[in-house]
Amino acid sequence: MTASNPHRLKADPDAPPAPALAREVAATLARGGLVALPTETVYGLAANATDPAAVAAIYAAKGRPQFNPLISHVESLAAAEQHGIFDETARRLAAAFWPGPLTLVVPKRPESPVAALATAGLATIALRVPRHALTRGLIAGFGRPVAAPSANPSGRLSPTTADAVAEGLGEKVDLIVDAGACPVGLESTIVACLEGTPRLLRPGGISRADIERVIGRDLVTAPSVEDARPAAPGMLASHYAPHARVRLEAKSVAPGEALLAFGPDLPPGAEAAAMVLNLSKAGDTVEAAANLFGHLARLDRSGAPAIAVMPIPAEGLGEAIRDRLARAAAPRP
Ligand code: TXA
Ligand code: MG
């Protein structure tokens, strides 16, 4: 291992973590770092789900052009219920398959500290309790939900070994926990339990038949993740969709408008804006991503009829930020 390689620690997958490992993982997550963690399905690229800057770092490391919502990993159903609202079906599925390769998408509790960026601004949250004894112990030791997509660069195969993680993400990860090959080797099955109709969003480590046996009815297949969203496709969830009109590529601010700024220089009219919040004075798209949903919500609460948004460059996370803003600015039904 050379000095430039990410720090890599070997551990037994079937035992709870040694205290020194648990401390190091918790400390890395607490300071906003990225940790590659083995699960029974695939390796995950983990960060503190309640820290928007750490979540932004996940998107930056993966090079995702969009803020796909992430799965929050927790240690138990009790922990999951602090972040999501479980109906009868969701609770039954959790009881049957957790810990294990099942992810449940449920309404997000408004009081959940999980960052809006981790759920891509949706009113729903994906939750999973992994079966992997080592990683479940690490999550319990950290004591907060851990956002973790598969630990591969966007568009590449999900990694099932630490070598594959190192090859794909290398120095973008602060720490790789190496517990050998993942036993399932296929991502978790995702079921949305929303508005009374359980839907299969992604086939995976638990079969449809096993799920249907537990819920006693057929699973509707959602042709795309969008179809699981209670909000209209392409819209931000209602509590993040601004009430204000959103005006993009603003070169000036009209009287009464609020301003979502980016970079060191403000446009003409900014002095008279109803409110000004800057995504990143330094013009850093990772910092801007971390602030995006929070700033939009605060500007909206100012009561200004419109939010002027300064141009955001398409580099780095700028592409995903622009995608989200375009949706927020799209005509409302
Ligand atoms: O096995 C797995 O699930 C692995 C390990 C690391 O846990 N994780 C994983 O994460 O596959 P990822 O990010 O590669 O896939 C998560 C999927 C995405 O397709 C995302 O769109 C969907 O979950 N998802 C997350 N939150 C959602 C939500 N609120 N509504 C609908 N789909 C959601
Ligand atoms: Mg993936």
Side-chain angles (χ1 to χ4, degrees):
M1 194 164 81
T2 66
S4 65
N5 278 342
H7 198 26
R8 184 152 155 179
L9 296 171
K10 280 201 189 283
D12 178 353
D14 301 315
L21 176 66
R23 270 197 305 274
E24 178 152 5
V25 168
T28 305
L29 293 172
R31 66 173 166 76
L34 298 181
V35 182
L37 289 179
T39 79
E40 71 275 25
T41 59
V42 300
Y43 275 76
L45 181 61
N48 178 358
T50 67
D51 175 350
V55 175
I58 291 180
Y59 292 108
K62 285 188 63 99
R64 278 190 173 177
Q66 285 192 328
F67 297 130
N68 293 349
L70 306 175
I71 299 170
S72 289
H73 298 71
V74 291
E75 71 198 85
S76 63
L77 172 58
E81 292 208 58
Q82 292 172 23
H83 304 285
I85 300 166
F86 284 63
D87 65 12
E88 168 75 36
T89 308
R91 220 171 263 133
R92 212 185 277 180
L93 287 171
F97 299 113
W98 279 357
L102 175 72
T103 295
L104 294 171
V105 173
V106 297
K108 186 182 184 185
R109 285 193 188 281
E111 70 273 23
S112 164
V114 168
L117 187 62
T119 54
L122 296 172
T124 58
I125 184 168
L127 290 157
R128 171 160 118 78
V129 179
R131 185 166 67 210
H132 202 275
L134 173 74
T135 286
R136 195 143 47 88
L138 291 171
I139 294 167
F142 178 51
R144 266 173 274 178
V146 162
S150 51
N152 51 287
S154 182
R156 302 257 299 272
L157 288 179
S158 296
T160 56
T161 63
D163 283 341
V165 175
E167 201 186 301
L169 294 173
E171 291 154 43
K172 293 176 178 157
V173 191
D174 296 297
L175 179 63
I176 296 179
V177 178
D178 180 356
C182 301
V184 176
L186 179 74
E187 289 96 335
S188 60
T189 301
I190 306 182
V191 175
C193 296
L194 301 168
E195 294 166 345
T197 310
R199 287 171 207 274
L200 179 66
L201 300 193
R202 180 177 75 182
I206 292 180
S207 75
R208 170 195 284 273
D210 284 346
I211 290 168
E212 289 178 341
R213 202 168 304 126
V214 166
I215 61 178
R217 60 195 273 195
D218 287 351
L219 259 186
V220 177
T221 302
S224 80
V225 165
E226 299 265 328
D227 294 315
R229 298 179 183 178
M235 293 275 297
L236 296 175
S238 55
H239 67 284
Y240 291 111
H243 298 102
R245 206 161 46 77
V246 175
R247 188 167 70 80
L248 302 179
E249 308 291 337
K251 303 274 187 331
S252 65
V253 187
E257 278 187 330
L259 174 66
L260 185 62
F262 179 83
D265 305 312
L266 298 187
E271 340 57 73
M275 185 180 198
V276 179
L277 290 175
N278 203 323
L279 289 171
S280 170
K281 283 189 178 138
D284 172 14
T285 58
V286 178
E287 183 185 15
N291 287 326
L292 177 64
F293 291 110
H295 280 13
L296 266 181
R298 278 176 61 201
L299 291 175
D300 200 30
R301 280 198 300 270
S302 77
I307 300 171
V309 182
M310 286 175 67
I312 314 281
E315 287 108 57
L317 290 189
E319 190 180 351
I321 294 170
R322 290 167 60 92
D323 168 78
R324 276 289 135 184
L325 286 169
R327 290 162 193 266
R332 314 285 162 76

